[in-house]
Each structure stands twice: as structure tokens, then as C-alpha cells.
Amino acid sequence: MTSPPKPPTPFDAPVYVTRPMLPDMESFRPHLDDIWSSGWLTNNGDKHQALEARLQDVLGVPDIALFNNGTIALLIACQALRLSGEVIVTPFTFPATAHVLSWNNITPVFADIDPQTLTIDPRRIERLITRQTSAILGVHVYGIPCDVAEIQRLADYYGLHVVYDAAHAFGTEIDGQPIAAFGDISMFSFHATKLFHTAEGGALGMRDARLKRRIDLLKNFGIKTEDEVIMPGINGKMNELQAALGLANLDALDAERRQRAAIKAVYRARLADLPGVTLIEMPKGVTDSLQYAVIRIDADRAPVHRDTVQARLRDYNVFARKYFFPLCSQYSCYRNLPSAQPASLPVAERAAQEVLSLPLYGALGEEGAHRVCDMLHAVMAA
Ligand SMILES: *Cc1c(COP(=O)(O)O)cnc(C)c1O
């Protein structure tokens, strides 16, 4: 008789899904010295210009505009394209995606998602297009690209704009093509919970230089010259401290990516034999942005429901997250919309019941990942 395995020991300190990467103080301090000696804290300073230039290169887009956060960036993307009426959007996302539409007086129209990629399903988009539709807003959720070719085909045929929420897709490539090469505008978030971050921050990537000029006006009150304000803009500017943190973090990014890839490899190997559990993987030809490690716990095949797994992991001091539950279509502000009815969003409804985001950050280490796997095995056996 073999004795039952010893239950895993809980972590001493809480383990969250992420822990923001921070540069060495030594590599950050020279940037601060520059800022202190120039006395220039915001409004397109040296750090802002340097980060914009470097990110243009890193993200492989002709033009980029930096922002104080990703939500304001997406809000302005809608303004820049003069979107109105209705926009077709995925319900399986962070609240900001749907909310920016409301803030632009646009009605979100929810389309169901693809069961494999969990991104907006082009087969569901077409039937939702009306004379009021002005755009499709897709989310490259977990860094998995939307069906960009089919979405562009629909947009071209019906004369719609395409905007992507690429908050999870920093560095993602499809067969070597950078993610921001698709759609009219792509939004990136540099929030502290994102792989690359500036504490708070964001960017829009685009290929049309005229759009870049309009976006730069919109994020700075519409001020064209000292004597001329030409549109009702807002304050969306990234400041110099944020940009400096971004420059230092860019230098530390490769090391963080390597550590995250190693952690994901541990999850891949150790969770493969858990019944009903699958680690969500990138499709062929897509580079992993390493933003999240998400498992899907099949409600029919796994011995315990996702919510139970989440609750039991908490006993071990592991705070896994239900990204994304509830669906945007279930928020009280949207659930009465005709497109928000659960019956028309079955794939998203099911995914929202099954996904669980596991800790993924360099400092967790492979050893930490092994401990999380031990805990998952214990939880699923119970
Ligand atoms: C983080 C995130 C945002 C919001 O970005 P902020 O920079 O926090 O404003 C929007 N959409 C998605 C999918 C996100 O994950």
C-alpha cells in the first residue's frame, strides 16, 4: 500500500496572477536624473519621444501614440475614426472594451466568440450588421489573435472600421507579421498587470499618418497651436515618469519573457494529465505574448467546478482569477440589450464558467509553478 501523497504546503505570502516587473534601480536612476535636471515632467518630453520611437520599432508599426492609460487610448481611437451608432464587440473581455463604446454614445452589440480561439466569431458578426454599424471591435484575448483576415473581409465588404483591443498582445506576431499590422487601430495597455508596463499607460498603433495627427490632437485637448484649439480633445498624455519606467522596463523585457516561458512550460507538462483541464495555447504560427497562463476546466469532464478550484487554491494562498467572468453582456448596464441575451452567446457563456488564470510572472520561478501544479493536483483529486 502506498500512503496518500502529503498535501502541499501553502505559500507563506499571497501569490497573485501577476507581479509587475520592475527594472533595476541602477538602470532607472539615470532616467530620473535626466528628468530632474530638465525639469520637464510631461507634454511630449524627451522620455516620451524616446519611448514612442522605441515602441514603434518593437511593435513594428509605422506610427504609435502614447497615452496615460489603455482605456483613454481606446476611447480616443473611437473618436479618431468618428465611430457612431453601433459597434460589434466581444462580450468576453475586460469592462473597458465595452465601456469605451458607451462613453462615445455608441451601443455595444455583442457577438459570440469562437470556441477554439475565444475571440469574436466572424460567423456571428455578419448577422449583427445593421445600417447603424460603424465598426467591429475585436479583442486579441490572452494574446490569441482574432480572425483578422475574415474580419477585414467583412469590414471591407460592409464599409466598416476595424479596431483591435490588443491589451494582451504586446509582441504578438502572426506568421512573423506584427499584431498591429491588422485593423485601422490597435490599442495596447501598459497597466502594471500587463507584461510590458509603465505603471499606468497605453498606446495606439496605426498605419495612417493622418490618423496619428488627429489622435495626437485628441489626446491634448485639441490644441493645434498656442492660438488655436480645433476639436474637443481630452487629456490622454503619458507623463515623463511613466515613459522613463517604460524605457527601463523595455531593457528588462527579454529576461522576464524567458522566465515566463519556462513557467508556462511547467504548467504545460504538469497539467496535461489532469482530467478535463486544458492549458489554453496559441494557434500555430502565433508567438505567445506571455501575458497570461489560462486553464480551461471543462464543466462536464472535470471532477470539480472552476469556482471550487479557485476557492480551494485560495486556501493555499494562491489567488487565481476568473478572466473573464462575468461577461460584459451580463453587467447590469448592458444585460437588457437585445444582443446581450445569454441564449445568443452560448460559447462565451460557457467559456466564462470554465476559464481560470494562473499565476504567471518571472519572480514566481519554475519552483513556484511546480508548487501551484501540486496544489491543482491536490484540489482536483479531492
Ligand atoms: C488591461 C485591459 C484594458 C484596459 O487598459 P488600462 O491600461 O488598464 O486602461 C482594456 N482591455 C483589456 C482586454 C485589458 O486587459
Side-chain angles (χ1 to χ4, degrees):
M1 278 260 308
T2 51
S3 54
K6 217 162 73 352
T9 329
F11 285 100
D12 293 331
V15 169
Y16 301 107
V17 284
T18 195
R19 186 152 128 191
M21 64 182 286
L22 280 170
D24 281 344
M25 226 25 208
E26 278 77 286
S27 70
F28 189 43
R29 203 178 303 274
H31 292 296
L32 294 180
D33 291 339
D34 290 345
I35 294 171
W36 258 246
S37 62
S38 72
W40 192 295
L41 298 184
T42 187
N43 285 31
N44 203 27
D46 288 345
K47 300 300 168 192
H48 184 286
Q49 289 176 34
L51 184 62
E52 211 164 71
R54 278 192 68 186
L55 285 178
Q56 223 159 287
D57 198 46
V58 169
L59 293 171
V61 265
D63 266 311
I64 186 170
L66 299 181
F67 283 88
N68 49 4
N69 64 62
T71 304
I72 294 289
L74 199 55
L75 196 75
I76 288 184
C78 299
Q79 288 272 321
L81 295 167
R82 298 179 172 85
L83 303 187
S84 64
E86 299 171 356
V87 167
I88 300 173
V89 64
T90 171
F92 191 67
T93 182
F94 187 70
T97 319
H99 288 347
V100 298
L101 299 175
S102 289
W103 277 71
N104 277 291
N105 257 322
I106 293 167
T107 306
V109 175
F110 296 107
D112 206 4
I113 57 175
D114 178 273
Q116 286 309 308
T117 66
L118 307 183
T119 62
I120 193 165
D121 188 340
R123 289 166 299 187
R124 302 305 213 95
I125 291 174
E126 194 157 17
R127 70 186 76 165
L128 296 170
I129 296 173
T130 71
R131 289 171 62 183
Q132 270 67 54
T133 310
S134 58
I136 300 163
L137 171 51
V139 179
H140 305 306
V141 73
Y142 313 143
I144 303 169
C146 296
D147 185 345
V148 290
E150 190 55 23
I151 288 172
Q152 194 59 56
R153 195 191 65 76
L154 283 171
D156 290 343
Y157 186 79
Y158 290 99
L160 306 175
H161 285 294
V162 178
V163 178
Y164 286 117
D165 178 336
H168 303 168
F170 186 90
T172 296
E173 292 183 348
I174 310 174
D175 294 323
Q177 288 223 73
I179 194 75
F182 305 98
D184 297 290
I185 301 181
S186 298
M187 179 278 277
F188 295 91
S189 165
F190 306 149
H191 184 256
T193 51
K194 305 305 200 283
L195 167 75
F196 168 73
H197 75 90
T198 58
E200 291 270 6
L204 294 178
M206 69 234 93
R207 288 163 295 164
D208 178 346
R210 275 179 322 174
L211 207 47
K212 156 80 173 164
R213 280 197 296 280
R214 184 166 159 78
I215 286 167
D216 280 344
L217 282 165
L218 281 167
K219 77 175 195 191
N220 190 31
F221 312 101
I223 299 174
K224 189 173 181 202
T225 65
E226 206 178 321
D227 301 322
E228 223 185 337
V229 177
I230 63 168
M231 58 182 81
I234 198 168
N235 183 358
K237 301 186 305 293
M238 177 182 280
N239 70 49
E240 289 293 277
L241 290 160
Q242 292 172 289
L245 184 56
L247 287 167
N249 268 341
L250 268 186
D251 293 330
L253 198 56
D254 278 346
E256 174 71 18
R257 278 204 181 104
R258 276 195 297 276
Q259 290 170 311
R260 287 188 181 207
I263 288 164
K264 239 172 146 168
V266 170
Y267 286 146
R268 183 171 297 123
R270 295 273 325 270
L271 303 180
D273 59 349
L274 276 179
V277 174
T278 38
L279 180 69
I280 294 179
E281 299 277 11
M282 293 302 122
K284 227 174 120 256
V286 173
T287 52
D288 190 343
S289 65
L290 298 165
Q291 171 62 48
Y292 291 118
V294 183
I295 53 171
R296 210 171 156 157
I297 305 171
D298 189 312
D300 298 326
R301 288 172 50 233
V304 259
H305 187 268
R306 185 271 319 272
D307 292 351
T308 312
V309 176
Q310 185 192 32
R312 299 236 180 102
L313 283 177
R314 251 183 248 136
D315 300 337
Y316 292 107
N317 232 350
V318 172
F319 295 83
R321 298 292 299 273
K322 298 177 283 193
Y323 294 149
F324 289 99
F325 174 90
L327 298 175
C328 291
S329 47
Q330 283 304 304
Y331 304 165
S332 58
C333 48
Y334 300 128
R335 67 172 169 234
N336 292 324
L337 291 171
S339 67
Q341 300 318 303
S344 53
L345 304 166
V347 182
E349 287 284 342
R350 175 154 192 159
Q353 287 295 326
E354 298 188 338
V355 290
L356 191 64
S357 188
L358 301 179
L360 181 66
Y361 53 91
L364 177 68
E366 291 175 63
E367 199 213 312
H370 275 292
R371 290 181 64 185
V372 173
C373 292
D374 292 340
M375 293 161 186
L376 274 166
H377 276 270
V379 163
M380 303 289 288

